[in-house]
Amino acid sequence: MKSNLITRTGHDKLVAELQQLWHQERPEITQKVNWAASLGDRSENADYKYNKQILRKIDRRVRYLGKRLEELKIIDFSPEQTGKVYFGAWVEIENEQGELKTLRVVGVDEIYDHHPQHISIDSPMARALLGKQVNEEIEVVTPLGKKIWYINSIRYEMHENITP
C-alpha cells in the first residue's frame, strides 16, 4: 500500500503539473485534434490519431493527479523533528568504505521525477533511518546483503510559512 504523505515541495510540484496540463498542454492538444478532425477522414489521419492519443494520456494524468492530490497529506517540518530523521529529512550517510550519500525521505509521489537523492518513505533505507540521530549506525538489508551506514548529518527544509 502506498503512503499518502508528501512534502510541501512535492505537493507544489504536483499542483504545478496539474495546472500545466489542464491550462496549457490540454488546450493546445485539443486545438490540434480539432484541426486534424476538420481535415476529413479520421481513419487515415495520423495527426488526428497521434494527438488524440496524447490527449488521452493527458486526461489520464489529470484524473490521476486530481484524485491523488485529494488523498495526500502534506507533512511540514515540526521543531520536534530536530536532531532525528523523519519524513522530509535530508540525511547525509556514509558507509565503511567512505562512500557518502545525501538522501531525502519523501513520499512515493515524489519519486516519479527520478530525483537521484529522493528515497521513498516506504523503502528499506528510509525505514532504517526513521527516528535515528547523527552518529548512529543503521543496517539496511539489500539484495547484495546487509549494509552498514553511519548518519553524518540531518537537516530539514524550512518554508516561509513555517517557523523553526
Side-chain angles (χ1 to χ4, degrees), residues 13-160:
K13 282 183 182 179
L14 291 182
V15 168
E17 179 187 356
L18 180 59
Q19 295 301 314
Q20 166 81 15
L21 288 170
W22 188 252
H23 294 291
Q24 292 173 340
E25 292 182 34
R26 193 178 192 289
E28 182 182 312
I29 296 298
T30 301
Q31 191 175 15
K32 288 180 182 178
V33 167
N34 289 337
W35 168 80
S38 73
L39 299 178
D41 185 10
R42 295 177 191 173
S43 64
E44 294 183 20
N45 187 330
D47 280 332
Y48 176 80
K49 288 180 178 179
Y50 175 73
N51 287 300
K52 193 73 174 166
Q53 186 178 21
I54 291 174
L55 189 58
R56 281 193 295 272
K57 184 178 173 186
I58 290 170
D59 285 345
R60 268 194 308 274
R61 185 70 180 160
V62 164
R63 276 192 306 278
Y64 172 79
L65 288 172
K67 287 178 186 173
R68 189 68 179 142
L69 284 166
E70 289 175 8
E71 300 168 347
L72 293 172
K73 180 180 181 193
I74 299 170
I75 304 296
D76 285 317
F77 172 77
S78 170
E80 295 84 44
Q81 293 174 276
T82 302
K84 289 193 176 190
V85 178
Y86 292 107
F87 187 82
W90 283 97
V91 185
E92 183 187 81
I93 57 175
E94 183 175 357
N95 66 14
E96 293 159 325
Q97 293 75 38
E99 178 187 359
L100 285 173
K101 288 185 181 212
T102 301
L103 306 171
R104 186 170 192 207
V105 180
V106 297
V108 294
D109 296 278
E110 297 173 83
I111 302 297
Y112 76 91
D113 63 358
H114 304 295
H115 192 291
Q117 294 177 306
H118 286 178
I119 60 170
S120 167
I121 185 81
D122 300 327
S123 71
M125 176 66 86
R127 286 197 303 267
L129 286 167
L130 289 176
K132 300 292 192 280
Q133 300 178 59
V134 171
N135 295 327
E136 279 196 64
E137 182 180 287
I138 63 164
E139 187 177 282
V140 182
V141 178
T142 72
L144 303 174
K146 290 181 182 175
K147 302 282 185 188
I148 304 294
W149 293 88
Y150 304 93
I151 300 174
N152 289 339
S153 67
I154 303 166
R155 67 181 169 82
Y156 289 90
E157 283 185 5
M158 305 295 169
H159 294 276
E160 307 78 54

